[in-house]
Amino acid sequence: MEPIKVIHIWERCKSRERQAQSELYQYFSAKMYALCLRYAKDQDEAADILQNGFIKVFNKCELYEGKGSLEGWIRRVMVNTAIESHRKNKVRFLSTDELSGKELEKAGSFSLNHLDYKDLLALIKKLPLGYRTVFNLYAIEGYNHKEIAEMLDISEGSSKSQLSRARLWLKERIQKMEELGI
């Protein structure tokens, strides 16, 4: 679908036209569901986040001011909806106080020489939910630790700790895969 047509559909959505809402949902739902899966513990939770996110998109459509892409705005709504879901489900985020210096050092960097994109996404999906949330926000969505801390209502240190633990967790699994020749 061309961007002009999407904007036309969006204008109809702002008038609460159900057919336009359905068309916009059909256009963006697959991409947004993939995003929701990155933050959810399972497919059911991802579907709930997607549903709740689109309800917000349609109920708060006046908040999109036309600055930046519509897809980017919808994406932000979905990420925020996922974060609200974490808060509601009381996902625990660890602080840097709970990380030893050795763990921080080990998690620093690792290479992905023999890992393909699908394998990496599958590994990220297996991260514990708290680690995965921060990893996705930082490494995929591009937020900094201060922004993540504000979004998740945690300290910057906790955000850094979660990212460090996620990297360490991924590094260990990648090394095991390489050792096994997978």
Side-chain angles (χ1 to χ4, degrees):
M1 190 179 301
E2 50 191 87
I4 293 173
K5 189 169 183 181
V6 172
I7 295 302
H8 176 68
I9 292 170
W10 179 246
E11 291 302 321
R12 292 174 31 228
C13 285
K14 292 190 323 192
S15 299
R16 308 284 188 228
E17 187 182 315
R18 294 281 181 221
Q19 179 61 37
Q21 290 175 342
S22 176
E23 290 174 31
L24 193 78
Y25 178 87
Q26 291 303 317
Y27 184 72
F28 285 115
S29 63
K31 276 185 185 177
M32 296 306 143
Y33 180 68
L35 180 143
C36 293
L37 273 173
R38 289 200 312 261
Y39 291 93
K41 68 179 179 286
D42 56 33
Q43 292 178 338
D44 289 338
E45 185 181 30
D48 287 345
I49 293 168
L50 180 73
Q51 181 72 23
N52 292 332
F54 269 106
I55 288 169
K56 287 178 186 175
V57 165
F58 297 134
N59 287 335
K60 299 180 184 240
C61 57
E62 71 281 353
L63 296 178
Y64 174 64
E65 300 172 344
K67 296 176 183 169
S69 73
L70 176 60
E71 181 177 341
W73 181 77
I74 293 171
R75 182 182 191 84
R76 254 189 328 277
V77 170
M78 295 297 163
V79 168
N80 288 333
T81 303
I83 290 167
E84 287 172 15
S85 175
H86 290 333
R87 284 188 188 133
K88 184 178 82 176
N89 295 324
K90 295 182 171 68
V91 172
R92 183 170 180 263
F93 296 93
L94 302 172
S95 73
T96 49
D97 297 341
E98 298 176 63
L99 258 185
S100 71
K102 194 179 226 182
E103 285 177 308
L104 282 168
E105 190 178 304
K106 280 175 60 180
S109 64
F110 57 93
S111 83
L112 303 172
N113 295 339
H114 300 94
L115 198 64
D116 99 350
Y117 178 73
K118 288 180 183 179
D119 293 332
L120 182 58
L121 286 179
L123 275 177
I124 291 169
K125 180 73 179 136
K126 291 178 183 176
L127 278 166
L129 192 56
Y131 299 176
R132 184 172 12 130
T133 301
V134 172
F135 184 86
N136 282 325
L137 289 169
Y138 186 87
I140 297 175
E141 305 296 336
Y143 290 101
N144 64 41
H145 288 294
K146 182 178 181 181
E147 293 167 324
I148 294 168
E150 289 171 6
M151 292 168 81
L152 299 177
D153 196 26
I154 60 175
S155 70
E156 282 184 61
S158 292
S159 176
K160 291 175 183 177
S161 172
Q162 293 292 304
L163 179 63
S164 181
R165 285 181 179 251
R167 286 179 171 163
L168 180 60
W169 189 97
L170 289 169
K171 180 180 179 179
E172 289 170 353
R173 266 87 193 158
I174 290 167
Q175 286 174 338
K176 285 179 185 174
M177 289 173 70
E178 287 179 348
E179 288 169 8
L180 297 172
I182 298 175

